[in-house]
Amino acid sequence: MKIDTLAIHSGFSGDKGSGASAVPICQTVSYAYKTAQELADVFDGKAPGYIYTRIANPTTTALELRLTELENGIGCIATSSGMAAIASVVMGLVRAGDEIIAATGIFGGTVSLFENTLGRFGVKTNLVEAGDTEQFAKAVNGKTKLIFIETIGNPRMDVPDIPAIARIAHQANMPLIVDNTVTTPFLIRPESFGADIIVHSTSKFINGHGSAIGGAVIDTGNYNWAEGLFEDIKELARKSRQLAFLAHLRNLIYRDLGGCPAPMNSFLMLQGLETLSGRMAKHCENAKKLALYLQNHPKVQWVNYPGLENSEFHGRIVELFDGRAGGLLTFGLGDKQSAFRFIDSVKLAKNMANLGDAKTLVIHPSSTIFHEFSVEQQKQMGVTDDIIRVSVGIEDFEDIKNDFEQAIKNSG
Ligand SMILES: *Cc1c(COP(=O)(O)O)cnc(C)c1O
């Protein structure tokens, strides 16, 4: 079945007991068994069953099954946030002394996790230009364990050549990890371009309503864990085969870090997912229209949206994303003062730090999300002091345009 259908129907086909057609919220910490032997068997993996919600929960299972199907994967672990998903994956693969390669211009929290937090544990991150495939190849050395990219970098909007980078990773027998938060499986299924593991912040377009924080890890089945670089997972692969990585996370890293979602939040993600296709189509349509409008506005100095024909990444948008470039764009009015005055003047758009909400959101990244990075680091991440990031919502386009029109007029 196609994405539009899977987003609504996969992972759950009605509650067996009550017939409830919406996924029931299993608001429980633990699960009772009649006999000591039954619970012992579940712990031993001899019988299937739930033990404790930090490890697994039926509402969350429904979300995991749906995300698995949407990403054409072999399994999924839902997490309490996008950061918990990324942290679990990377901590599940690297050890002190290892190195990772990541694209610049990606989510600031991810860069901070890699450089600051994982740096404290002796893991080194090599940042390379997302758009320049050669740099990925050059950065590989004997210590590199994985490559991490975003489908469309937030906020630099660079589009990496995913299939070429997958080939570079696979030549060195490494997994390619792709953050598909900004584009979702509606625009791209990275599995078909060679991605091995997909991560999401489901707080954004998957949820779509700005009502819950969440994340997910999906194994696409492309990486052969039995022949991989990771000794402990290799060992597990003898029993769990291709599910070895997810078993390694579920029974060790994810369990030990404690980044499980609340059952209520898994329900909210499932609820949001049902309208993913309709929302994404409108996000893409409105963002394209807004990018064209801004591009033709005399006061706007520049617009960065890979869906514009004059973007250096337009070719990749056509090739990998079917011509659709998502709901995120950035633009500049020349300086920080104008950016602040614009943000102070919008009436419909909200000044908020998230993205992927049904509502149109604007933010000045340099003084907010990236405030703790130096000017030099910000520059590398594509964050200039005049940049305004817009997460284009699904309101009527004329209303968004009129709001921007009056706010640009008031920006000086
Ligand atoms: C927001 C975001 C994250 C982090 O997700 P949280 O749910 O906020 O922890 C990771 N990657 C991208 C691309 C994001 O936009």
Side-chain angles (χ1 to χ4, degrees):
M1 281 186 281
K2 300 285 195 300
I3 295 280
D4 305 37
T5 316
L6 292 176
I8 299 169
H9 292 283
S10 61
F12 182 76
S13 55
D15 182 57
K16 297 213 170 53
S18 66
S21 71
V23 180
I25 303 160
C26 258
Q27 193 68 47
T28 187
V29 168
S30 198
Y31 309 83
Y33 289 82
K34 287 220 173 62
T35 67
Q37 189 58 51
E38 277 177 85
L39 186 54
D41 287 346
V42 174
F43 264 84
D44 254 355
K46 286 182 193 146
Y50 292 96
I51 296 171
Y52 196 68
T53 283
R54 174 155 46 69
I55 304 166
N57 171 282
T59 312
T60 300
T61 301
L63 173 64
E64 291 169 344
L65 291 170
R66 188 166 295 175
L67 288 171
T68 301
E69 289 214 36
L70 285 170
E71 287 290 14
N72 211 14
I74 58 169
C76 167
I77 292 180
T79 58
S80 57
S81 68
M83 289 317 304
I86 298 168
S88 304
V89 168
V90 177
M91 291 176 80
L93 295 174
V94 299
R95 294 165 188 268
D98 287 346
E99 297 189 10
I100 64 185
I101 299 172
T104 54
I106 60 171
F107 183 66
T110 306
V111 177
S112 176
L113 166 70
F114 290 173
E115 295 206 311
N116 304 331
T117 303
L118 293 177
R120 292 180 68 240
F121 294 91
V123 176
K124 186 172 169 236
T125 300
N126 299 296
L127 291 175
V128 300
E129 292 288 314
D132 185 351
T133 310
E134 270 297 291
Q135 288 195 17
F136 286 87
K138 285 203 188 108
V140 178
N141 65 42
K143 293 178 181 168
T144 322
K145 288 293 187 310
L146 62 92
I147 298 181
F148 185 99
I149 57 174
E150 288 176 6
T151 49
I152 298 181
N154 161 28
R156 222 170 83 168
M157 312 299 292
D158 290 353
V159 185
D161 186 344
I162 302 171
I165 297 168
R167 283 193 291 276
I168 291 167
H170 297 158
Q171 258 157 28
N173 200 20
M174 295 189 289
L176 173 66
I177 296 152
V178 176
D179 183 333
N180 194 15
T181 299
V182 166
T183 37
T184 80
F186 178 75
L187 270 83
I188 186 171
R189 286 167 126 180
E191 177 276 327
S192 62
F193 297 105
D196 301 293
I197 297 165
I198 297 167
V199 291
H200 276 282
S201 164
T202 57
S203 326
K204 315 292 173 53
F205 292 103
I206 297 280
N207 171 279
H209 304 81
S211 63
I213 297 274
V217 177
I218 295 114
D219 189 331
T220 64
N222 284 338
Y223 191 79
N224 184 357
W225 299 105
E227 306 284 332
L229 280 183
F230 312 94
E231 288 309 322
D232 43 1
I233 306 174
K234 226 169 160 169
E235 189 65 29
L236 262 181
R238 289 211 243 142
K239 204 174 97 188
S240 309
R241 308 206 173 261
Q242 276 302 77
L243 286 171
F245 176 64
L246 290 173
H248 167 70
L249 285 195
R250 176 99 52 203
N251 301 324
L252 190 74
I253 312 294
Y254 172 76
R255 185 199 67 191
D256 289 1
L257 290 179
C260 66
M264 178 69 192
N265 286 1
S266 296
F267 168 80
L268 290 169
M269 298 307 168
L270 285 158
Q271 190 84 348
L273 264 179
E274 294 195 359
T275 55
L276 179 73
S277 293
R279 286 186 289 105
M280 286 312 288
K282 188 81 187 281
H283 281 298
C284 292
E285 183 193 319
N286 278 353
K288 179 85 179 276
K289 284 184 184 165
L290 189 65
L292 286 168
Y293 160 78
L294 291 170
Q295 195 175 41
N296 292 321
H297 197 294
K299 276 199 178 167
V300 173
Q301 306 294 310
W302 57 269
V303 182
N304 189 5
Y305 183 62
L308 286 174
E309 262 157 47
N310 63 4
S311 160
E312 63 173 302
F313 297 114
H314 187 256
R316 279 182 198 157
I317 291 295
V318 172
E319 183 193 337
L320 306 176
F321 302 82
D322 228 356
R324 295 171 303 200
L328 214 56
L329 64 84
T330 58
F331 74 102
L333 293 164
D335 53 38
K336 181 178 168 181
Q337 288 69 33
S338 309
F340 268 48
R341 279 195 297 263
F342 169 83
I343 291 170
D344 293 349
S345 303
V346 287
K347 295 192 175 103
L348 178 70
K350 300 257 185 294
N351 180 205
M352 302 203 324
N354 68 321
L355 61 90
D357 198 305
K359 305 170 186 77
T360 295
L361 316 174
V362 295
I363 193 165
H364 182 250
S366 164
S367 62
T368 57
I369 305 170
F370 290 88
H371 78 109
E372 57 185 47
F373 292 97
S374 69
V375 175
E376 196 43 49
Q377 282 173 313
Q378 287 199 6
K379 219 174 123 194
Q380 209 194 17
M381 297 162 127
V383 181
T384 49
D385 79 342
D386 71 330
I387 185 176
I388 300 165
R389 188 185 77 184
V390 187
S391 175
V392 186
I394 58 174
E395 301 95 339
D396 184 279
F397 177 69
E398 285 302 307
D399 291 329
I400 300 172
K401 191 191 82 179
N402 292 340
D403 191 35
F404 274 57
E405 179 82 51
Q406 62 83 24
I408 292 172
K409 201 178 280 170
N410 286 329
S411 71

